[in-house]
Amino acid sequence: MTKYIFVTGGVASSLGKGILAASLGNLLQARGFRVTNQKFDPYINIDPGTLNPYEHGECYVTEDGHEADLDLGHYERFLDVHMHKSNNITTGRIYQNVIRKERKGDYLGKTVQVIPHITDEIKRNVMAFGKTGDYDFVITEIGGTVGDIESLPYIETVRQMKWELGSDCLCIHLTYVPYLSAAKELKTKPTQHSVKDLQQEGVQPDIIVLRTEHEITDDMKRKVALFCNVDVKAVIQSKDASSIYRVPLNMLAERLDEVVLEKTGFDINQVPAPKMDDWNHFLHKLENASKPVCIALVGKYVQLQDAYKSIHEALIQAAAYNDRKLVLTSILSDDVTEANVAELLKEQDGVIIAPGFGHRGFEGKVIALQYLREHGVPTLGVCLGMQAMAIEFARNVLGQKDANSMEFNELTTHNVIDLMEDQKSMLNKGGTMRLGAYPCKLKKDSKVAAVYGKELIEERHRHRYEFNHKYLKDFEAAGMLCSGINPDSGLVEVIELKDHPWFIGVQYHPEYSSTVLHPHPLFLRLIQAAIGH
């Protein structure tokens, strides 16, 4: 029988529900259980694909081409398994499905209402995992905080499922315990109010996790247990950690997984202890690395850390496995000029030119790339970063001074990046979009083939424009090798400079595939190049 666990939040947003859900999944998986994580987003957008990164952070892409919430990236990094479209549901998709069914006549003339039709659709999306027989636990994170009007149908669904499934369904409520410096005290009253709000919506939490910057005493745990109707052992402390990757071990120390197992009917003495050797190996490297490696991230959304979350985490993982401490410098590409580019980049061991859409900040990327190419700095261009590499090379090596992208100027005569369609293109935001995993054939003896150690790979995409084959021979004659080609469409996936220590651009997003236990080779080798190995 599949067990269903819901993770809700209260008091404030950004407490780390996604990290908590991923950490619990990690611990249960380490005990031998089959686990998947799911995220419900209460916003009415169908998916986050049209949201500005400053509005919602990174748009994560699954292998099956779904544009998803960034928490799915945490799930993949912590569980080392692939997420899919079914792992991320929005209110927009729920209502879209219900309205589509109503138009088809599936409700047989019934008045369509939030209860039962919307809640039934939510329930169907949760329990679909259990019906496959593939999972012992389904951990579902509900976005937002209790009390938000948008989340009411989801909380009602939790109420119904707890009533229907009994001990096969439980709720973990994550709250914040603030520290008042004037009184020099931690305060549990916000937690009490948050739980009261949840109870008023018909849900009694089974476990309460307290986010805090300071140690929570046993007396305080007993107080929370008394006022919130939970077992004392089910009041869990989640103190600020040095890294998100330490949270699973902190939750293990607090026995969160044991409490979950006991409350869902398992005899803890009959369950194997969690095998965390590989995780501990990574964490030891991460926390004991002392030599720095300085990497710059040049992009248009760097003012919000979550906008490039997967790149940031991929770099942390790669640096740790190379016994280096990552020193990441975020450079707003809008601010890069010919006058300041040397000052901005001269101290960097390596640079990533970030993805993005639109013209803003693009010329700064091109200026940065000319400096990096001419000064032999190890560089990785991702998606639009690769396209910027092609445009910079066309302008400054091939002499095509007007080279640009059709995305920016459809009237230019020298279009290095051109619009191409293929059978798997998807309509999105008014244009064609390649989304999800596509194959790529790497040229033998190329630098990128050496990075991967094989010639046929598959990586995830999220972009509209492609390299224009009209210029391929000119590029290769001048020293820019098109070293990765889609075997089905012939589209260019990877470019690299022959006479440069490490200058590689990829049309896809390798950061989405990097996990704690399997860091992506492109990031590993970038760090190695940056430290001179």
Side-chain angles (χ1 to χ4, degrees), residues 245-439:
Y245 301 116
R246 176 150 284 283
V247 176
L249 297 182
N250 290 351
M251 293 301 95
L252 179 63
E254 288 282 309
R255 299 184 174 179
L256 173 63
D257 54 327
E258 289 188 18
V259 176
V260 167
L261 289 169
E262 288 174 354
K263 286 185 174 294
T264 51
F266 289 91
D267 181 351
I268 196 65
N269 296 315
Q270 302 299 316
V271 177
K275 296 179 180 179
M276 302 291 288
D277 292 349
D278 291 341
W279 193 273
N280 284 323
H281 171 71
F282 163 76
L283 198 60
H284 176 80
K285 281 183 165 293
L286 176 68
E287 295 182 340
N288 288 279
S290 57
K291 292 183 179 179
V293 57
C294 299
I295 303 293
L297 177 64
V298 181
K300 63 186 291 187
Y301 301 118
V302 294
Q303 291 161 314
L304 179 68
Q305 179 179 312
D306 281 353
Y308 298 114
K309 189 64 175 176
S310 291
I311 289 178
H312 189 194
E313 299 306 322
L315 285 170
I316 289 174
Q317 296 155 13
Y321 279 109
N322 280 289
D323 299 312
R324 289 296 188 277
K325 181 178 180 180
L326 177 67
V327 179
L328 184 65
T329 301
S330 296
I331 298 175
L332 185 65
S333 55
D334 306 50
D335 295 340
V336 180
T337 66
E338 292 181 356
N340 67 12
V341 64
E343 187 64 30
L344 290 172
L345 297 175
K346 67 180 182 180
E347 300 297 329
Q348 301 302 320
D349 300 315
V351 176
I352 290 183
I353 306 298
F357 290 94
H359 189 272
R360 180 178 66 81
F362 184 78
E363 292 302 321
K365 293 181 179 180
V366 173
I367 291 170
L369 282 163
Q370 182 177 3
Y371 175 89
L372 298 168
R373 177 177 57 80
E374 292 177 348
H375 289 79
V377 181
T379 303
L380 173 63
V382 178
C383 198
L384 186 62
M386 172 212 139
Q387 297 179 1
M389 282 180 164
I391 288 171
E392 187 280 324
F393 191 82
R395 290 181 187 178
N396 299 315
V397 177
L398 299 182
Q400 299 181 7
K401 296 302 181 184
D402 294 329
N404 215 318
S405 166
M406 284 187 69
E407 183 176 8
F408 308 145
N409 183 357
E410 292 189 1
L411 301 179
T412 53
T413 56
H414 299 290
N415 294 308
V416 176
I417 311 301
D418 204 348
L419 175 64
M420 298 185 67
E421 299 183 19
D422 62 77
Q423 294 178 348
K424 292 176 70 176
S425 291
M426 298 177 65
L427 219 64
N428 193 343
K429 292 180 281 186
T432 54
M433 178 84 81
R434 269 214 290 169
L435 282 169
Y438 286 79

Side-chain angles (χ1 to χ4, degrees), residues 216-233:
I216 292 176
T217 64
D218 290 341
D219 284 344
M220 190 167 291
K221 287 184 177 182
R222 283 191 287 269
K223 181 179 179 181
V224 170
L226 176 65
F227 280 92
C228 298
N229 298 341
V230 298
D231 301 331
V232 173
K233 65 180 180 181

Side-chain angles (χ1 to χ4, degrees), residues 510-527:
E511 69 273 19
Y512 294 148
S513 303
S514 190
T515 70
V516 170
L517 301 186
H518 293 96
H520 198 284
L522 273 170
F523 290 93
L524 285 172
R525 292 295 290 273
L526 172 66
I527 297 297

Side-chain angles (χ1 to χ4, degrees), residues 181-235:
S181 56
K184 294 183 172 56
E185 281 186 302
L186 287 165
K187 292 295 183 180
T188 64
K189 191 62 70 177
T191 292
Q192 296 174 43
H193 283 298
S194 179
V195 172
K196 184 178 181 181
D197 287 342
L198 190 60
Q199 291 169 335
Q200 286 177 336
E201 294 177 18
V203 176
Q204 168 63 47
D206 301 280
I207 299 170
I208 297 175
V209 179
L210 306 175
R211 281 285 288 111
T212 176
E213 292 93 358
H214 299 267
E215 198 76 24
I216 292 176
T217 64
D218 290 341
D219 284 344
M220 190 167 291
K221 287 184 177 182
R222 283 191 287 269
K223 181 179 179 181
V224 170
L226 176 65
F227 280 92
C228 298
N229 298 341
V230 298
D231 301 331
V232 173
K233 65 180 180 181
V235 179

